[in-house]
Amino acid sequence: MNATRLARQVRCYSLLSSGKLRSSTKPTSLAKAKNALRAKQAAAEKQAKLALKAAMAAKQKAAAIAAKQKATAKLRKQKAAQLAKQNARIQRIVRKLAKQEKVRKRKIAQRVAKQKKKEAARKRKIAQKARALKAREIAKARNLRKAKKEKAVKQALKVKAAKMRERAAKKALKEKEAAKQAKTATRKAAAKKKKNALKGSGPVHPYSLFIKEITAGKTHFQMKSAAKEWRALSDAQRQKYYDQAKKNLAKRTAIRKRIKKKDKKDGPANRYTVFVKKHFSASFYEAKKTHTKHQDAFKAAIVAVAKKFKNELQRSDMKKRKKKSSRGQA
């Protein structure tokens, strides 16, 4: 405000001094007025200078203040920008750290989950192993019980089979013994029958006929006296005994032929007889090569045939057992 007023005054004094502006003062006081004007002008100029200087100072001060304010604002702006930049960097760092922390936490969570999963798998595996072991133990115990039961059943069956075999063996032995006894009785009866049949023909020796005749009806007699009587007989007396002996011998021969024919018709008595009949001639022929005496060769041939027959029986028994086992398996 003061600077504007001073500027107006300075302008008025400059117009007055140039004559463009007329003064209202009188000519008499022109010098005074001029002096006063000059003084005023000088004062105004001084004042104007001071005002200008003050204005310039104020302007400079305002400029300085504005510059300072601008600098302060710039500095503040820079600081704000720096602070914003720092804040942005801090935020980035924070975000980065948060992200890293999140990743770390996720990794930790994943590791923990993996560890839990691994632990759960381990526990599950241990539980499975325990279950499997328990199942194996149960199965083992069951199999053991089953095996014991089967063993007991097998043992019982074995004992039963052994008893049955023993009973069967006893029965077979009994039957065999009975058959043997029956066979022996039959053979003895047949032999007795043959003997009786042969006896039925009568004695075939003259001396036997004589003894039979003199001892008929007697309970006690002496053979010496009978022999003396026989020696005392003449040939004519003995002739009847010879004739009767010949007749009896003819009868006995006929009976033997008849018995032999019947035996041939009935067939051999047993397997051994058939085997001996088949193999004896060859064995006897071989035995005669090594033995000089007929009796020794006969005995050796009989032994060889008996051994062959025993081997043949063993082979046939083995074949029968194999057939029975194959039928049992089937």
Side-chain angles (χ1 to χ4, degrees):
M1 189 72 179
N2 292 327
T4 306
R5 190 175 178 185
L6 285 172
R8 283 178 182 174
Q9 286 179 2
V10 169
R11 189 178 178 189
C12 287
Y13 285 132
S14 63
L15 287 173
L16 284 174
S17 61
S18 63
K20 289 181 181 180
L21 186 63
R22 288 182 181 178
S23 178
S24 61
T25 59
K26 292 179 178 180
T28 54
S29 59
L30 186 57
K32 291 182 180 180
K34 283 183 179 181
N35 289 332
L37 184 60
R38 284 193 190 100
K40 283 183 179 181
Q41 192 175 357
E45 285 179 359
K46 190 178 179 180
Q47 195 173 359
K49 283 180 180 179
L50 289 171
L52 186 60
K53 193 175 180 180
M56 288 296 289
K59 192 176 180 181
Q60 284 179 358
K61 190 176 179 181
I65 290 167
K68 191 176 180 181
Q69 287 178 352
K70 192 176 179 182
T72 305
K74 190 177 180 181
L75 185 63
R76 195 176 291 148
K77 193 175 180 181
Q78 284 178 355
K79 282 185 178 179
Q82 192 175 2
L83 187 62
K85 195 175 180 180
Q86 192 174 1
N87 288 334
R89 190 169 64 250
I90 289 166
Q91 285 178 1
R92 281 198 303 275
I93 290 167
V94 168
R95 281 197 300 274
K96 191 176 180 181
L97 288 172
K99 192 175 180 181
Q100 287 178 356
E101 185 67 19
K102 192 175 180 182
V103 170
R104 190 179 68 80
K105 284 182 179 180
R106 189 169 65 247
K107 282 184 179 179
I108 289 168
Q110 286 177 356
R111 195 160 54 245
V112 169
K114 193 176 180 180
Q115 191 69 23
K116 284 182 180 178
K117 195 174 179 181
K118 195 174 179 181
E119 187 69 20
R122 189 179 67 81
K123 286 181 180 178
R124 194 163 54 249
K125 197 172 181 180
I126 289 167
Q128 285 177 356
K129 280 185 179 178
R131 284 197 298 272
L133 184 63
K134 192 174 180 181
R136 278 200 300 273
E137 286 177 355
I138 291 167
K140 191 176 179 182
R142 187 170 60 246
N143 291 333
L144 191 62
R145 287 196 300 272
K146 192 176 178 182
K148 282 183 179 178
K149 194 174 179 181
E150 287 178 356
K151 192 176 180 181
V153 171
K154 282 182 181 178
Q155 192 67 26
L157 289 172
K158 198 181 280 186
V159 170
K160 191 176 179 181
K163 285 182 179 178
M164 287 177 71
R165 279 198 302 273
E166 191 177 354
R167 282 200 296 270
K170 284 181 180 179
K171 190 177 178 182
L173 187 64
K174 197 173 181 181
E175 288 176 356
K176 191 176 180 181
E177 193 67 29
K180 192 175 179 181
Q181 286 177 2
K183 196 173 181 181
T184 306
T186 306
R187 189 171 65 248
K188 283 181 178 179
K192 192 174 181 181
K193 190 177 179 181
K194 285 180 185 178
K195 195 174 181 181
N196 291 332
L198 291 172
K199 274 185 179 181
S201 64
V204 293
H205 197 276
Y207 182 70
S208 299
L209 285 168
F210 175 72
I211 295 295
K212 186 179 179 182
E213 185 179 342
I214 65 171
T215 57
K218 291 181 181 180
T219 55
H220 299 285
F221 71 95
Q222 290 182 353
M223 290 297 293
K224 286 182 180 180
S225 60
K228 283 180 181 180
E229 287 181 14
W230 172 256
R231 283 195 294 272
L233 291 174
S234 63
D235 292 336
Q237 289 174 339
R238 290 181 184 178
Q239 189 62 40
K240 64 174 182 177
Y241 297 113
Y242 280 105
D243 293 339
Q244 187 65 35
K246 280 181 182 179
K247 287 178 183 179
N248 290 343
L249 183 61
K251 283 181 185 179
R252 185 168 289 188
T253 305
I255 290 166
R256 275 183 180 153
K257 283 181 180 179
R258 190 168 63 249
I259 289 168
K260 194 173 182 181
K261 191 176 180 181
K262 189 181 178 183
D263 289 343
K264 192 178 281 187
K265 189 178 179 181
D266 292 340
N270 50 29
R271 285 174 62 189
Y272 182 69
T273 309
V274 176
F275 192 82
V276 169
K277 193 173 182 180
K278 187 177 180 181
H279 296 280
F280 181 75
S281 59
S283 299
F284 185 66
Y285 179 74
E286 291 293 328
K288 279 168 76 175
K289 291 179 181 178
T290 55
H291 296 83
T292 54
K293 290 184 178 181
H294 180 84
Q295 191 175 359
D296 295 338
F298 186 83
K299 285 180 181 179
I302 288 292
V303 170
V305 170
K307 195 178 285 185
K308 283 182 183 178
F309 183 71
K310 191 175 181 181
N311 294 334
E312 187 71 24
L313 283 176
Q314 286 177 355
R315 280 197 294 272
S316 64
D317 288 341
M318 284 177 68
K319 285 180 182 178
K320 284 178 182 178
R321 286 196 198 100
K322 283 181 181 179
K323 283 182 181 179
K324 282 182 180 179
S325 62
S326 61
R327 285 174 186 172
Q329 286 175 1

